[in-house]
């Protein structure tokens, strides 16, 4: 993969609807988000070829999840208020980066790897009956 901020900016501007949090970030934060998105996809789907576009889709989702307001929810804050200015209440936020991978990224990975099973966010786990 050869992901970079310049290509990510172009892709996200053209293909991602909710891109304000990405465009508001500085280049250093964008690079960190790209690094984490790339690593998250590579670790979750190690046998798949991960296209750059899937990394960009995931990076845009991560930028939204870790914007200045939502980062509080990621850290476990349930609510806070600024007296007379604003009040924020958060629902339970995703705690694992894998849970933030958008379906568009999974579709791009599946398209790049037609001979492999479609990637999914589902996890195999134990259950007790």
């Amino acid at each position: 993969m050869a992901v970079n901020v310049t290509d990510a900016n172009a892709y996200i501007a053209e293909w991602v609807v909710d891109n304000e949090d990405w465009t508001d970030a500085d280049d250093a934060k964008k690079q960190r988000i790209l690094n984490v998105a790339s690593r998250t996809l590579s670790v979750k789907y190690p046998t798949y070829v991960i296209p750059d576009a899937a990394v960009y889709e995931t990076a845009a989702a991560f930028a939204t999840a870790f914007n200045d307001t939502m980062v509080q929810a990621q850290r476990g804050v349930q609510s806070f208020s600024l007296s007379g200015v604003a009040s924020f209440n958060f629902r339970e936020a995703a705690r694992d980066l894998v849970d933030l991978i958008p379906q568009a990224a999974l579709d791009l990975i599946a398209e790049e790897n037609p001979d492999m099973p479609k990637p999914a966010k589902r996890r195999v786990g134990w259950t007790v009956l």
Side-chain angles (χ1 to χ4, degrees):
M1 291 189 307
V3 297
N4 61 67
V5 172
T6 303
D7 291 346
N9 286 338
Y11 179 91
I12 291 170
E14 184 174 351
W15 293 101
V16 178
V17 174
D18 186 10
N19 62 18
E20 290 81 17
D21 293 312
W22 174 264
T23 57
D24 289 347
D26 61 31
D27 283 349
K29 183 172 183 176
K30 288 177 181 180
Q31 187 61 57
R32 286 191 307 274
I33 292 170
L34 283 173
N35 293 344
V36 172
S38 178
R39 181 187 64 215
T40 301
L41 290 171
S42 296
V43 168
K44 176 67 177 167
Y45 306 107
T47 59
Y48 291 81
V49 173
I50 308 294
D52 293 350
V55 176
Y56 301 150
E57 290 280 350
T58 304
F62 285 5
T64 299
F66 291 97
N67 69 22
D68 292 339
T69 302
M70 294 305 296
V71 75
Q72 299 300 322
Q74 294 295 333
R75 293 178 178 158
V77 174
Q78 293 180 355
S79 67
F80 72 93
S81 65
L82 304 170
S83 84
V85 178
S87 177
F88 299 90
N89 293 308
F90 301 110
R91 60 185 167 97
E92 185 66 29
R95 296 298 218 166
D96 194 356
L97 292 174
V98 171
D99 297 331
L100 298 172
I101 298 171
Q103 185 61 47
L106 298 177
D107 293 343
L108 289 164
I109 294 168
E111 187 177 303
E112 185 75 20
N113 300 273
D115 297 334
M116 302 280 285
K118 281 189 155 190
K121 289 198 271 186
R122 292 176 285 162
R123 297 181 186 170
V124 176
W126 293 95
T127 186
V128 177
L129 298 174

